[in-house]
Amino acid sequence: MTATIELMRQHRSIRKFASKAIAPEQLSAIMAAAQSASSSSFLQASSVIRITDQALRQQVMALCGNQAYVGSAAEFWVFCADFHRHLQWVPEARTGFAEQLLIGAIDTALMGQNAITAAESLGLGGVFIGAVRNQPHELSRLLGLPQGVIPLFGLCLGYPAQDPEPKPRLPADMMFMENGYQPHHDEARMAEYDAQVRHYYQTRSGGNKDTTWTGQIADTLAREARPFMLNFLHEQGFCLK
């Protein structure tokens, strides 16, 4: 196994950070790695906003459910799908298609994954923040996002002040299939995986969190997630056709 593969397999979310700045040359290296990610049709349909103003960071943190690590991490970046840039340079470009939302989301997610992997290779840690979509209208106004730009996720980066274990993943053959979709209904194997996840949560939380993977999924998917999102996408010029 290579050092790169081992680094990626040891990925875990860091939510407690040391009060130490990231060196400018390291930030430049992480940005370069992020920008080197694959891009569909070379559209480069992403923008990243680095929040360096502390007052602004506090406002963003409030919109993200007051998650403390959004304010305490050395860096907080907001990753956006961006077709506004394309219309600036090519006003006759046709935008608003649902496919373009997928392109922007995929391109931006690939950039984010490159960024976190590069950061971890430098001894840093981080956590992605989906809560930037909690109040997208307010966040867009705060950051001055024009039509054609939507915030997808945030990324906290910094020096870890904790050392959590990686979360146990699903058995590989439940996710990697050959020659077609293979439904899995092995209750015994799922029960074993549920037990692994329960043990992980109990250990990590000091016994305060007692749930399984299927229990967490049942809870998460029992409620509608951000029902305002479709209207927001339409207002920003996405998924119009």
Side-chain angles (χ1 to χ4, degrees):
M1 187 179 296
T2 67
T4 301
I5 293 173
E6 183 60 27
L7 173 73
M8 296 170 83
R9 289 192 57 165
Q10 291 302 311
H11 167 73
R12 64 271 168 86
S13 294
I14 299 297
R15 293 178 172 84
K16 293 182 181 179
F17 298 94
S19 56
K20 179 181 178 181
I22 300 174
E25 59 271 20
Q26 291 180 316
L27 290 174
S28 294
I30 295 168
M31 291 174 182
Q35 200 171 4
S36 297
S38 298
S39 173
S40 179
S41 299
F42 201 46
L43 287 174
Q44 302 183 82
S46 307
S47 290
V48 183
I49 300 174
R50 180 184 175 216
I51 310 297
T52 58
D53 182 278
Q54 287 305 308
L56 179 61
R57 177 93 77 98
Q58 292 300 309
Q59 292 177 279
V60 172
M61 184 178 73
L63 294 177
C64 293
N66 281 309
Q67 297 179 82
Y69 31 92
V70 172
S72 63
E75 294 284 324
F76 185 69
W77 300 357
V78 178
F79 285 74
C80 304
D82 183 358
F83 279 91
H84 179 76
R85 178 187 303 117
H86 303 77
L87 290 171
Q88 284 185 302
W89 291 102
V90 186
E92 68 274 18
R94 298 176 64 200
T95 61
F97 293 94
E99 171 65 9
Q100 291 166 349
L101 172 63
L102 296 178
I103 288 172
I106 292 168
D107 274 18
T108 307
L110 293 174
M111 284 188 69
Q113 189 59 49
N114 266 25
I116 190 66
T117 301
E120 289 172 345
S121 77
L122 296 170
L124 301 166
V127 61
F128 289 107
I129 306 296
V132 299
R133 302 189 303 278
N134 281 1
Q135 301 184 64
H137 295 90
E138 292 80 356
L139 184 66
S140 296
R141 284 193 288 270
L142 191 63
L143 300 183
L145 304 185
Q147 191 173 52
V149 182
I150 52 172
L152 293 176
F153 55 88
L155 177 60
C156 298
L157 290 174
Y159 287 91
Q162 61 177 173
D163 188 22
E165 292 293 320
K167 285 182 178 176
R169 275 6 191 210
L170 280 166
D173 63 358
M174 289 188 178
M175 300 188 74
F176 294 89
M177 305 173 192
E178 189 170 338
N179 299 325
Y181 191 85
Q182 306 295 321
H184 291 276
H185 300 289
D186 190 328
E187 294 184 8
R189 295 188 69 221
M190 183 53 73
E192 181 180 347
Y193 178 64
D194 269 346
Q196 286 182 302
V197 172
R198 170 172 273 141
H199 176 74
Y200 167 84
Y201 280 133
Q202 288 180 330
T203 301
R204 182 167 177 176
S205 69
N208 292 323
K209 185 171 183 177
D210 182 17
T211 190
T212 62
W213 185 74
T214 54
Q216 179 171 310
I217 296 308
D219 179 63
T220 301
L221 299 184
R223 54 187 185 274
E224 188 173 13
R226 302 183 176 105
F228 46 77
M229 189 55 67
L230 184 59
N231 285 339
F232 172 71
L233 292 174
H234 289 167
E235 290 169 13
Q236 291 300 101
F238 286 82
C239 292
L240 300 179
K241 47 188 177 277

